[in-house]
Amino acid sequence: MMSISSFYRSSVGCKVVMALTGLGLVGFLCAHLAGNLLVFKGPEAMNHYARSLRDYLPILWVLRVGLVGMFMLHIASAIRLTQLNRKARPVEYAKKKNVQSTISSRTMMLSGTVVLSFVLYHLAHLTFRWTHPEFQELGDFDVYQMLVMSFHSPYVAFFYCLSILLLMSHLHHGIVSLFQSLGLYHGGLQLVIRMAGAGLSVLLAAGFLSIPTAIFCGWIGL
Amino acid sequence: MKVRLHVWRQPSSNAPGKMVQYDAPNISPAMSFLEMLDLVNEGLVEKGEEPIAFDHDCREGICGTCSLMINGVAHGPSEATTTCQLHMRSFRDGEDIYIEPWRAQAFPVLRDLVTDRSSFDRIMQAGGFVSVNTGGVPDANAIPISKVDADSAMDAAACIGCGACVAACKNASAMLFVSAKVSHLALLPQGQVEGSMRAKAMVAQMDQEGFGACTNTKECEAVCPKEISVSSIARLNREFLKASVESR
């Protein structure tokens, strides 16, 4: 058996780490969206959900540590591989045409960086409440009110929508790519994985975008 | 027809290079791309200038020696075609044609359009072989191989090692080449002896040569003159994962 360090040092092993952490993060996105969509059931449902997460504190902490770990590994691997890839072509072409690669596959670093900056803002905004000190007065579990108030700011809404669209682009390539890196993208599975990747990335984006849309249209409010 | 060429000229591996413009009048559409270059070179020699150096050998599309990035596409605009099998009828009269060498850290330019692709040879030496006992010649077809496996192995074995996959990849990754070689041998019973070490050894050598990592953009598949599919990269990843958990 290969040691973990030599596995990670190999470009193929590093891609496997990217794929597995990416898969985990997609799983988190699905769970996160399911929680967020409770906003359509009203303040009680959403705040009850936020409160009841704390009932399972040890499990919550395991998930949090796992999530942060996956995030860090995903980012560290991306930086490492990008450095490697840049070094592999020191002189650029005077003329280069892309024949069949998609824009989303060529801009993973860009879409990933914007999504990361959104995640950091998101934590400072709602989790640590640094950017909105007035949230401190709302009490711990008025997630519903924080969410609705936040989307009344056009800047927040714009940044959120932009990040979600880039997240969709990131997932559109990422989901299919992770199966390829794990060696599972072959034969009859190819069509299924491609459809699932495109479908899931659009569904997740549509779900996340539905919340600011509903607030903008006044379907949900304070 | 006439075309205007923009060619990368570089006197030696350490000297700086630049794009130089050449007009090529009196080109027949029936000429191959390399014949067109031969004609331009004759003109240069007559003028007492240094001819453009480029790699070529069989000119039948089977040896993998010719290369050239033509208008930003490895082996030019025709699908599943090597540069030597590309014809001037694929271009418009009066077209500007950019000709550059393969660009990769692991393929250093030796002169003009000629690159050193011996990194591929070293990857092959690391694991692209099978053990064969010496002795009498074995009976043909003595080892049963399923039609499906034989066909897939044959598809992968079509790789001529030209390096177009590396040239087209934004990361200069050699994964399509390595995966074709690994797939070809992993699918056949003769390749099982080195099975567990092959993927590991070839990937390690590939990394050591300074090729980039695969980001699954599939540009390689689009330019491969032998139409090697990226599903062989999935097979290489599987083989690598299998080898990395095996006890040997």
Side-chain angles (χ1 to χ4, degrees):
Chain A
M1 187 158 163
M2 232 167 154
S3 75
I4 289 174
S5 77
S6 58
F7 180 80
Y8 188 72
R9 268 202 305 277
S10 138
S11 62
V12 176
C14 199
K15 285 294 296 186
V16 169
V17 173
M18 281 291 278
L20 289 176
T21 50
L23 186 64
L25 292 171
V26 170
F28 165 72
L29 275 176
C30 295
H32 188 18
L33 177 63
N36 282 8
L37 288 179
L38 285 173
V39 76
F40 288 103
K41 279 190 82 182
E44 293 80 25
M46 184 154 213
N47 292 339
H48 173 72
Y49 161 73
R51 218 173 300 124
S52 55
L53 275 182
R54 302 283 170 100
D55 293 345
Y56 307 95
L57 215 50
I59 300 174
L60 188 66
W61 271 108
V62 169
L63 288 176
R64 276 175 176 169
V65 170
L67 184 62
V68 172
M70 283 194 296
F71 240 112
M72 306 270 256
L73 263 178
H74 197 71
I75 295 163
S77 307
I79 292 172
R80 180 172 169 260
L81 288 168
T82 304
Q83 280 173 338
L84 214 96
N85 295 343
R86 292 214 176 123
K87 238 175 45 202
R89 170 152 308 134
V91 184
E92 279 300 323
Y93 290 106
K95 196 167 178 162
K96 175 77 171 79
K97 212 157 98 187
N98 296 304
V99 185
Q100 70 170 12
S101 60
T102 57
I103 295 175
S104 63
S105 76
R106 297 194 303 269
T107 51
M108 290 299 274
M109 249 332 213
L110 178 77
S111 55
T113 309
V114 175
V115 171
L116 171 64
S117 63
F118 172 76
V119 169
L120 294 177
Y121 173 72
H122 182 52
L123 290 175
H125 178 190
L126 295 173
T127 310
F128 303 119
R129 304 176 189 187
W130 294 333
T131 57
H132 290 65
E134 67 270 23
F135 286 169
Q136 305 285 9
E137 292 152 25
L138 288 177
D140 250 350
F141 296 112
D142 207 343
V143 179
Y144 181 87
Q145 203 174 346
M146 285 202 295
L147 190 147
V148 176
M149 273 166 68
S150 301
F151 276 127
H152 282 147
S153 153
Y155 301 110
V156 172
F158 174 78
F159 185 35
Y160 177 86
C161 293
L162 177 78
S163 305
I164 294 300
L165 288 174
L166 286 173
L167 176 68
M168 180 171 77
S169 163
H170 200 80
L171 295 180
H172 185 79
H173 176 68
I175 295 175
V176 178
S177 183
L178 80 88
F179 284 100
Q180 171 80 349
S181 295
L182 294 175
L184 300 171
Y185 187 71
H186 63 95
L189 278 178
Q190 289 191 350
L191 185 69
V192 179
I193 291 171
R194 253 202 327 271
M195 301 300 270
L200 190 58
S201 55
V202 170
L203 271 180
L204 279 170
F208 280 114
L209 289 176
S210 70
I211 298 165
T213 310
I215 292 172
F216 181 76
C217 297
W219 297 331
I220 45 180
L222 293 173
Chain B
M1 65 187 281
K2 62 171 192 290
V3 289
R4 173 166 292 170
L5 307 180
H6 304 264
V7 185
W8 180 261
R9 299 304 306 265
Q10 184 175 340
S12 69
S13 36
N14 298 321
K18 61 174 193 293
M19 298 298 283
V20 178
Q21 193 178 308
Y22 297 99
D23 281 317
N26 306 321
I27 298 296
S28 158
M31 276 180 180
S32 80
F33 196 82
L34 297 185
E35 282 167 341
M36 181 274 293
L37 283 178
D38 289 337
L39 199 73
V40 171
N41 273 346
E42 276 177 29
L44 288 176
V45 171
E46 275 170 22
K47 279 196 285 180
E49 288 177 35
E50 198 61 39
I52 302 163
F54 60 90
D55 265 327
H56 62 102
D57 192 10
C58 75
R59 300 209 179 193
E60 290 180 334
I62 52 168
C63 76
T65 308
C66 64
S67 56
L68 304 189
M69 202 70 174
I70 301 165
N71 280 342
V73 181
H75 288 303
S78 294
E79 258 177 60
T81 307
T82 54
T83 294
C84 63
Q85 294 284 290
L86 175 68
H87 288 81
M88 292 311 292
R89 55 177 171 268
S90 305
F91 298 89
R92 279 188 333 265
D93 189 21
E95 190 169 341
D96 279 59
I97 304 176
Y98 286 77
I99 311 173
E100 293 175 80
W102 289 168
R103 294 286 189 204
Q105 173 71 33
F107 289 165
V109 173
L110 294 176
R111 184 185 192 137
D112 297 340
L113 304 169
V114 179
T115 55
D116 176 2
R117 284 171 280 180
S118 56
S119 46
F120 269 12
D121 299 337
R122 290 188 291 274
I123 293 174
M124 290 304 280
Q125 283 160 5
F129 51 81
V130 295
S131 294
V132 177
N133 292 324
T134 54
V137 180
D139 279 345
N141 303 322
I143 307 168
I145 301 170
S146 84
K147 168 83 174 137
V148 179
D149 285 346
D151 285 353
S152 306
M154 197 60 205
D155 287 345
C159 170
I160 52 176
C162 64
C165 43
V166 175
C169 175
K170 75 180 179 69
N171 311 323
S173 167
M175 283 290 276
L176 194 67
F177 166 75
V178 176
S179 70
K181 298 304 174 191
V182 166
S183 296
H184 160 204
L185 300 173
L187 283 161
L188 299 174
Q190 290 91 336
Q192 301 313 307
V193 181
E194 295 84 5
S196 63
M197 59 70 76
R198 182 177 297 111
K200 269 196 294 191
M202 290 180 84
V203 166
Q205 189 63 35
M206 173 185 87
D207 288 344
Q208 204 188 316
E209 296 289 346
F211 290 104
C214 180
T215 42
N216 306 322
T217 67
K218 303 181 189 170
E219 265 316 292
C220 52
E221 184 185 68
V223 299
C224 176
K226 297 298 157 190
E227 301 183 291
I228 307 287
S229 156
V230 290
S231 57
S232 58
I233 297 183
R235 178 172 285 108
L236 167 61
N237 291 336
R238 273 202 304 284
E239 288 287 320
F240 181 87
L241 275 171
K242 214 163 67 184
S244 60
V245 294
E246 259 170 10
S247 56
R248 293 190 270 173

